[in-house]
């Protein structure tokens, strides 16, 4: 009798654990998993890693580096990630690969003491994809000091994400994976204020805050593993790069070089990359896919010249896995078009190598009212056709995406012209 009760208790607890595990996966925010899952399940090694905040996340394209230089790399940066969290992400990453170089973005290297300099949701996005082991537990132990709920707040997705239950979507019941090697490339185009070159040589006197301490730990970790560490500042607009940031960056450059690392201040030298402040940004902080391509082009040459990284495109151990993932990524890009609410972002979200766009408009004169639309048409080789409104559902614009290989229909979207702002927005069907 006692054995039966014991067995029933064990079975009951196993059922509860199984249900909890399933519910935990459903309610969790999927952003971190989308971007990092592929890294932890990769079939190849990586020559380079990119770590830091969203400026790195949106600023470097590993697929560009592969297709143009045969460099195997991964973008492990994450939105709003403090350098303290970045340290633990890198420590775990180096258990899975042996890069020759690690590029670190400096935005969240704070000099503030006893502060994590990172929001609760951002910590989850960075740490959730990591396997539960010593590195993750140490990261959680550190981060839990700054938020309510202690370690449970990061160990239990049900605790962390219980408020998402009422807003779950279809993809929450799957584990979505992005095949873009960690990068998030914006396809929006905005005009930003160009940097004027008024950078300062002044160096901030650092107080040894938590961010500085953990950045030194990253430098030491790379040195211990014979990996070159490069402090990489991504190009930004004048609204973002101020003298205070520059003074702190100069101090971080001194620390980097004293510890045997290197620095690339690309924000200070946008002309070197040919950055176009009218078209290479997705917002005032982040580069779009065109700006990221210019940064990636520069880094591809830099890595081949300085670290003798070989071209792996003829190596089947690398090439087969990369080409397989790129094919998946191109298919995924088509599905992601449904989320593009702007015609410029929609068209630039397609792959010009494999697809082409047909654009039908009720009034071609409205092209000039929408920023960068004509630029987009010219860059993608599109000649929009003026048609009667009834031919496009009595709306203002229809975009059809087709396969170059066989003219097969792949996707389409309708847009209306907002009369108040004279810009186009996606039509929300009733």
């Amino acid at each position: 009798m006692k054995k039966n009760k014991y067995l029933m208790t064990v079975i009951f607890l196993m059922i509860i654990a199984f249900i909890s595990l399933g519910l935990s996966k459903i309610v969790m925010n999927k952003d971190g998993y989308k971007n990092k899952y592929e890294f932890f399940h990769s079939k190849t090694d990586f020559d380079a890693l990119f770590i830091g905040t969203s400026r790195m996340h949106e600023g470097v394209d590993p697929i560009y580096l592969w297709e143009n230089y045969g460099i195997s790399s991964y973008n492990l940066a994450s939105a709003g990630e403090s350098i303290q969290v970045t340290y633990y992400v890198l420590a775990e990453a180096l258990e899975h690969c042996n890069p020759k170089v690690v590029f670190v973005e400096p935005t969240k290297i704070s000099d503030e003491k006893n502060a994590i300099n990172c929001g609760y949701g951002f910590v989850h996005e960075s740490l959730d994809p990591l396997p539960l082991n010593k590195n993750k537990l140490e990261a959680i132990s550190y981060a839990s000091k700054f938020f309510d709920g202690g370690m449970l707040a990061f160990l239990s997705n049900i605790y962390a994400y219980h408020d998402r239950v009422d807003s779950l979507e279809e993809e929450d019941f799957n584990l979505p994976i992005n095949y873009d090697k960690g990068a998030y490339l914006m396809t929006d185009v905005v005009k930003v204020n160009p940097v004027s070159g008024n950078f300062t040589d002044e160096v901030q006197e650092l107080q040894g805050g938590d961010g500085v301490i953990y950045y030194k730990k990253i430098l030491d970790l790379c040195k211990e593993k014979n990996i070159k560490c490069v402090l990489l500042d991504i190009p930004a607009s004048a609204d973002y790069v101020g003298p205070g940031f520059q003074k702190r960056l100069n101090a971080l450059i001194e620390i980097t070089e004293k510890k045997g690392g290197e620095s690339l201040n690309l924000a200070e030298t946008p002309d070197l990359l040919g950055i176009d402040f009218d078209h290479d940004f997705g917002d005032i902080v982040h580069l779009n896919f065109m700006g990221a391509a210019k940064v990636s082009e520069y880094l591809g040459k830099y890595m081949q010249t300085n670290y003798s990284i070989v071209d792996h495109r003829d190596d089947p151990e690398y090439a087969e896995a990369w080409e397989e993932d790129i094919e998946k990524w191109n298919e995924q890009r088509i599905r992601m078009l449904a989320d593009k609410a702007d015609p410029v972002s929609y068209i630039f979200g397609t792959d010009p190598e494999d697809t082409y766009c047909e654009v039908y408009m009720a009034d071609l004169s409205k092209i000039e009212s929408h920023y960068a639309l004509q630029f987009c048409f010219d860059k993608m080789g599109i000649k929009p056709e003026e048609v009667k409104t009834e031919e496009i559902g009595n709306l203002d614009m229809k975009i059809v995406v087709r396969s170059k290989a066989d003219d097969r229909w792949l996707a389409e979207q309708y847009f209306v012209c907002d009369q108040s702002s004279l810009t186009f927005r996606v039509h929300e069907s009733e």
Side-chain angles (χ1 to χ4, degrees):
M1 191 72 174
K2 287 184 177 179
K3 286 184 178 180
N4 286 339
K5 287 183 69 175
Y6 176 76
L7 180 61
M8 292 299 293
T9 301
V10 170
I11 292 173
F12 175 76
L13 291 174
M14 288 177 65
I15 292 172
I16 294 297
F18 182 77
I19 293 173
S20 298
L21 180 62
L23 183 60
S24 177
K25 287 186 176 181
I26 290 172
V27 300
M28 71 180 179
N29 186 309
K30 308 296 191 297
D31 289 342
Y33 276 93
K34 285 180 182 179
N35 298 321
K36 293 186 175 70
Y37 181 92
E38 192 190 5
F39 173 82
F40 290 111
H41 297 80
S42 176
K43 301 173 186 176
T44 66
D45 202 355
F46 296 102
D47 301 308
L49 297 179
F50 303 95
I51 57 177
T53 72
S54 58
R55 289 181 65 212
M56 183 77 90
H57 193 199
E58 276 100 331
V60 180
D61 182 4
I63 290 181
Y64 182 98
L65 287 168
W66 171 262
E67 292 185 327
N68 292 275
Y69 290 94
I71 294 174
S72 178
S73 65
Y74 206 96
N75 194 328
L76 283 169
S78 188
E81 184 176 279
S82 76
I83 200 69
Q84 295 97 298
V85 176
T86 300
Y87 166 76
Y88 292 108
V89 172
L90 178 62
E92 181 58 32
L94 296 182
E95 300 287 337
H96 298 262
C97 68
N98 301 283
K100 292 182 174 64
V101 57
V102 170
F103 293 90
V104 186
E105 191 272 321
T107 297
K108 286 282 189 169
I109 306 179
S110 169
D111 193 33
E112 190 176 357
K113 294 186 177 181
N114 300 315
I116 194 170
N117 194 29
C118 186
Y120 173 74
F122 290 145
V123 176
H124 261 287
E125 186 174 331
S126 298
L127 298 184
D128 283 353
L130 273 59
L132 186 58
N133 57 21
K134 180 174 178 289
N135 288 323
K136 184 168 183 173
L137 289 173
E138 287 183 356
I140 289 173
S141 177
Y142 172 79
S144 64
K145 296 183 294 185
F146 302 97
F147 302 100
D148 295 335
M151 293 185 68
L152 181 64
F154 297 102
L155 287 170
S156 170
N157 285 328
I158 296 176
Y159 179 97
Y161 300 120
H162 65 273
D163 58 349
R164 294 192 68 237
V165 172
D166 294 333
S167 59
L168 293 175
E169 298 178 355
E170 184 178 344
E171 75 166 20
D172 285 303
F173 294 88
N174 302 295
L175 184 63
I177 301 169
N178 286 351
Y179 288 94
D180 54 358
K181 303 297 179 181
Y184 175 76
L185 300 181
M186 301 183 74
T187 57
D188 303 88
V189 177
V190 302
K191 184 177 182 178
V192 302
N193 293 321
V195 292
S196 59
N198 56 342
F199 294 93
T200 178
D201 292 328
E202 294 182 61
V203 179
Q204 178 180 322
E205 186 176 341
L206 299 176
Q207 305 302 308
D210 287 18
V212 173
I213 291 171
Y214 272 79
Y215 176 55
K216 289 180 179 179
K217 290 178 70 172
I218 287 177
L219 288 163
D220 290 339
L221 178 62
C222 288
K223 189 172 184 178
E224 174 192 331
K225 294 182 176 290
N226 199 30
I227 299 168
K228 182 60 70 174
C229 186
V230 180
L231 187 67
L232 172 66
D233 195 28
I234 302 290
S237 70
D239 300 286
Y240 193 79
V241 181
F245 180 82
Q246 275 295 309
K247 290 177 183 178
R248 179 168 57 86
L249 180 61
N250 291 339
L252 294 174
I253 289 172
E254 284 192 357
I255 290 174
T256 304
E257 294 176 351
K258 283 179 180 178
K259 283 186 167 287
E262 298 175 1
S263 61
L264 284 175
N265 189 351
L266 300 184
E268 192 172 325
T269 56
D271 292 344
L272 186 66
L273 281 68
I275 293 295
D276 176 0
F277 288 93
D278 287 345
H279 301 110
D280 285 348
F281 284 80
D283 58 34
I284 64 170
V285 176
H286 305 101
L287 294 170
N288 60 25
F289 75 103
M290 291 177 285
K294 292 176 180 178
V295 171
S296 303
E297 172 67 19
Y298 181 88
L299 292 178
K301 293 177 180 176
Y302 179 86
M303 283 189 277
Q304 285 192 339
T305 301
N306 291 275
Y307 309 121
S308 302
I309 294 177
V310 300
D311 187 334
H312 296 296
R313 284 175 290 185
D314 292 328
D315 182 346
E317 279 192 35
Y318 284 84
E320 290 177 10
W322 269 88
E323 293 308 319
E324 179 183 329
D325 284 347
I326 289 174
E327 184 176 347
K328 291 178 182 177
W329 170 235
N330 288 335
E331 293 172 358
Q332 191 172 30
R333 288 175 68 178
I334 297 297
R335 296 194 294 272
M336 293 170 68
L337 292 176
D339 297 325
K340 306 288 186 180
D342 172 276
V344 171
S345 178
Y346 189 90
I347 292 170
F348 277 145
T350 64
D351 177 14
E353 295 295 320
D354 298 324
T355 65
Y356 69 94
C357 294
E358 297 171 345
V359 177
Y360 304 96
M361 297 180 64
D363 184 356
L364 292 179
S365 68
K366 290 183 178 179
I367 292 175
E368 295 301 326
S369 68
H370 191 93
Y371 182 71
L373 188 55
Q374 186 61 60
F375 168 83
C376 175
F377 289 160
D378 292 343
K379 192 165 185 67
M380 298 293 278
I382 296 171
K383 293 184 178 180
E385 180 181 343
E386 189 168 273
V387 298
K388 295 178 181 178
T389 56
E390 54 265 31
E391 293 183 42
I392 52 175
N394 293 317
L395 300 173
D396 295 298
M397 182 189 298
K398 175 183 178 181
I399 301 175
V400 178
V401 184
R402 296 188 182 277
S403 166
K404 280 187 175 180
D406 53 13
D407 287 330
R408 179 168 44 94
W409 176 96
L410 297 173
E412 66 181 46
Q413 189 60 280
Y414 292 81
F415 296 87
V416 294
C417 186
D418 188 325
Q419 297 301 320
S420 60
S421 61
L422 289 178
T423 58
F424 289 93
R425 57 179 173 79
V426 69
H427 170 64
E428 301 287 351
S429 58
E430 297 180 359

